[in-house]
Amino acid sequence: GFDKLQYGSMRINAPRLAMDKPVRWVRDPDHPSLTGALTLDAGETLFTGGSVLPPSRLNFSVEGSDPTSFQFTGDLHADAIGPVQVNGRWDGVRLRGQAWWPAQPLAVFQPLIPPDWKMALREGRFYAQVAFSAAAEQGFEAGGHGVVKGGSAWMPDNRLNGVDFVLPFRFSDSTWQLGTRGPVTLRIASVKNQVVAQNLTADLQGWYPWSEQQPLILSNVNVDVLGGNISMQQLRMPQHDAALLRVNNISSSQLITAINPKQFTLSGRVNGALPLWLNDPDWIIRDGWLTNPGPMTLRLDKDMADALARDNMAAGAAINWLRYMEIARSWTRLNLTNLGVLSLRAELQGTSRLDGKSNTVRLNYQHQENLFTLWRSLRFGDNLQAWLEQHASLPDSGCAAGDNCEEPQ
């Protein structure tokens, strides 16, 4: 028995090795042999990323020439996980082996999901094959692939259905190489939230943690949402160039329905491009733009327009011309800081309709709002915000104790 066994980022608590059948070692110089059957019971296996393998039992038999040279076969159970078939060999220095996960319900792997992900595994099947080795100086290394078919996962504010996920990987020295013979592929039939996203695709290939010599590349990102499509060709980490999010034919009326503002309604389609940064000292989106490929309409809430016209007579006439406006052309510049501050500057040209009369209108509009606060109010949840806050570099405020520093507006 041991208090623990530790290889790199993996720690096995309280392993205990017992004999099921006598271990027989025949030390005949001409015909040496070693046989026996053993059971390894262990407490939880902990990984530095937060994953936990429940208390496990490995039943295995050995056959070889001596304790420094034998082969083993067995099966592993860890609560509902398993049986996982295992075989391999020990040469006195290095342990080598292979493991096969049979197809199992996805939900049995819930303990392997770190708690801070707040993700509950539901439907779907999982299977995998892994080769591994371990040695004192090398630590633990593994490689293989895992497959999820028809998966479903629920989070506090999201439900993912129809998840197909293929993960070819290698793991060594606390580093994951994702996508070995081909990229990691993710396909999701639908994501249900405040809005419904469908046909999501993404490919991932590279190393985690990433470095200049070993980057991580996200590509082939596409999702159908709000009656249109959002796509991104490539995002490289560490990032040197902006990853361009393309907005194609998004329905502004569906977006407004999801946001549900009381002051106005908007209809029509929107195209655009949003340069995305994840490690810029100031920006998440910088110099983004949106425009309308076809006609749009803007309608102000009657009570709000009446109140504005009543409280400010000078602006009343302008407000009246904006009660119903047909927009022929719009151009919006958009920026989003690491603190979540969204800034919009829009130029609109169109025709206003009021009491049977029409008038040409040119409107310059500016708007600023904290997007993280807006997400909370819309029940989009904190998952996306937390991810952005974790992965986007926050600027140094430069304020020392005693300085007269103001909060950003």
Side-chain angles (χ1 to χ4, degrees), residues 147-207:
V147 177
V148 173
K149 290 289 187 181
S152 176
W154 291 9
M155 290 169 283
D157 302 286
N158 303 280
R159 292 188 179 184
L160 284 66
N161 296 310
V163 178
D164 290 336
F165 180 60
V166 179
L167 173 63
F169 73 93
R170 288 177 184 161
F171 177 79
S172 177
D173 194 23
S174 300
T175 300
W176 294 87
Q177 182 184 355
L178 304 174
T180 47
R181 297 183 179 180
V184 176
T185 60
L186 175 65
R187 306 292 183 262
I188 303 178
S190 68
V191 179
K192 295 183 179 180
N193 199 304
Q194 195 78 3
V195 298
V196 176
Q198 296 178 312
N199 304 322
L200 186 149
T201 69
D203 295 341
L204 188 67
Q205 196 159 21
W207 285 262

Side-chain angles (χ1 to χ4, degrees), residues 290-292 325 327 329-333 344-350 361-366:
L290 300 170
T291 189
N292 60 311
M325 179 179 174
I327 301 171
R329 180 183 180 276
S330 69
W331 185 264
T332 302
R333 296 169 179 84
L344 296 175
R345 185 185 298 268
E347 301 171 5
L348 308 178
Q349 297 181 14
V361 175
R362 293 184 179 180
L363 174 66
N364 294 318
Y365 172 74
Q366 296 185 50

Side-chain angles (χ1 to χ4, degrees), residues 7 11 15 33 55 61 75 79 87 91 107 112 138 164 172 214 227 229 232 240 261 278 289 339-340 373 387 406:
Y7 294 100
R11 189 183 73 190
S33 69
S61 60
D75 57 81
D79 197 7
N87 66 38
D91 61 12
L112 296 176
Q138 161 200 308
D164 290 336
S172 177
Q214 297 178 328
N229 175 268
M232 182 178 67
H240 299 293
L278 295 184
W289 59 267
L339 298 177
T373 302
W387 190 89
E406 296 183 356

Side-chain angles (χ1 to χ4, degrees), residues 255-369:
L255 177 61
I256 292 299
T257 299
I259 298 176
N260 194 27
K262 305 299 183 182
Q263 298 87 351
F264 66 94
T265 60
L266 188 68
S267 63
R269 298 284 173 170
V270 175
N271 290 339
L274 307 175
L276 177 66
W277 294 92
L278 295 184
N279 60 355
D280 189 272
D282 301 305
W283 304 100
I284 295 175
I285 295 175
R286 185 176 182 183
D287 296 331
W289 59 267
L290 300 170
T291 189
N292 60 311
M296 300 181 71
T297 59
L298 170 68
R299 187 189 300 272
L300 297 184
D301 175 73
K302 182 179 183 303
D303 293 338
M304 184 196 72
D306 290 345
L308 290 173
R310 183 172 56 250
D311 296 341
N312 190 333
M313 295 187 63
I319 292 298
N320 286 333
W321 286 115
L322 295 178
R323 288 176 182 267
Y324 180 82
M325 179 179 174
E326 297 173 353
I327 301 171
R329 180 183 180 276
S330 69
W331 185 264
T332 302
R333 296 169 179 84
L334 181 151
N335 291 286
L336 177 64
T337 73
N338 277 324
L339 298 177
V341 178
L342 174 69
S343 300
L344 296 175
R345 185 185 298 268
E347 301 171 5
L348 308 178
Q349 297 181 14
T351 302
S352 173
R353 311 288 183 184
L354 179 66
D355 298 330
K357 300 178 182 180
S358 62
N359 194 32
T360 299
V361 175
R362 293 184 179 180
L363 174 66
N364 294 318
Y365 172 74
Q366 296 185 50
H367 181 79
Q368 190 172 88
E369 186 166 5

